[in-house]
Amino acid sequence: MTDINYWLMKSEPDAYSITDLRNEKETLWDGIRNYQARNFMRTMKIGDQAFFYHSNTKPPGIVGLMEIIETGLVDPFQFDIKSKYYDKKSKEDNPRWDCVKTKFICEFRNIITLKELSEIYTPEELTVVRKGNRLSIMPINKSIANDLLIKLKSI
DNA sequence: GCCAACGTTGGC
DNA sequence: GCCAACGTTGGC
């Protein structure tokens, strides 16, 4: 696989954790309700890899790796009136929100914390270290992705 | 709990 | 189209 792109995808472990993904093997990455994150998701290709990031936990950081195995799927919860992700403005014949399916690759034995990341990278190099960053999906530059993978293998 | 940094909504 | 008010994310 020569030309894959790398991503960072956030999830609060209370909602969905790397352990959940390890157990389920694959999951629909649903509930994205931010246009910028959605648009990034729309540019994902099958075979791309994503760093799994635990947010709103102690400590926040990168905990694992997954692969994108399906793209362009309609997020079913936008039509589920009981769901917190229900969107009354989204129409069945023109869905507003979509999602991808991801597959577990590995869980890192040691996480790379946000603190460590922010000591190595600037907010321009790695958007997740930007103060106040609220994007739940963001691209990661290939050379930084390679650095991270090497670092994660060595610890 | 505080607050920074956005995104969204709605009046005009 | 502008912008104020409000809501959300998420680190600390």
Side-chain angles (χ1 to χ4, degrees):
Chain A
M1 196 56 81
T2 53
D3 192 35
I4 68 167
N5 289 310
Y6 288 92
W7 306 90
L8 183 145
M9 297 168 83
K10 286 185 189 174
S11 179
E12 300 193 7
D14 287 349
Y16 196 83
S17 71
I18 188 69
T19 308
D20 294 325
L21 182 60
R22 173 193 280 284
N23 292 337
E24 292 176 17
K25 311 237 182 347
E26 52 186 59
T27 192
L28 206 57
W29 205 270
D30 52 58
I32 300 302
R33 294 294 180 270
N34 170 286
Y35 289 105
Q36 205 180 342
R38 182 202 66 179
N39 293 343
F40 280 136
M41 207 160 49
R42 286 183 173 176
T43 71
M44 289 178 178
K45 298 278 188 293
I46 290 169
D48 282 359
Q49 294 185 3
F51 293 92
F52 195 128
Y53 178 94
H54 277 176
S55 66
N56 211 6
T57 188
K58 287 177 187 174
I62 291 172
V63 295
L65 191 67
M66 53 192 173
E67 180 181 341
I68 309 304
I69 56 169
E70 280 186 68
T71 60
L73 302 162
V74 173
D75 184 333
F77 294 102
Q78 64 195 305
F79 303 123
D80 179 355
I81 198 157
K82 294 199 252 353
S83 169
K84 67 182 272 199
Y85 297 117
Y86 176 68
D87 182 351
K88 64 179 189 297
K89 293 181 185 169
S90 186
K91 298 285 170 274
E92 299 258 4
D93 58 0
N94 186 22
R96 176 178 293 187
W97 306 109
D98 44 59
C99 53
V100 296
K101 190 177 269 189
T102 69
K103 185 179 77 176
F104 178 84
I105 295 179
C106 64
E107 177 176 356
F108 302 128
R109 291 195 298 123
N110 298 96
I111 83 169
I112 305 184
T113 64
L114 177 61
K115 183 168 182 292
E116 292 173 68
L117 291 171
S118 64
E119 285 163 359
I120 305 169
Y121 300 108
T122 66
E124 290 72 30
E125 291 170 325
L126 191 68
T127 43
V128 73
V129 309
R130 200 172 80 215
K131 193 178 182 187
N133 175 49
R134 296 183 308 140
L135 259 190
S136 60
I137 295 175
M138 58 205 95
I140 295 196
N141 163 305
K142 272 178 206 173
S143 68
I144 291 179
N146 283 328
D147 286 353
L148 291 175
L149 290 172
I150 289 164
K151 184 176 173 62
L152 285 159
K153 278 175 193 158
S154 68
I155 57 178

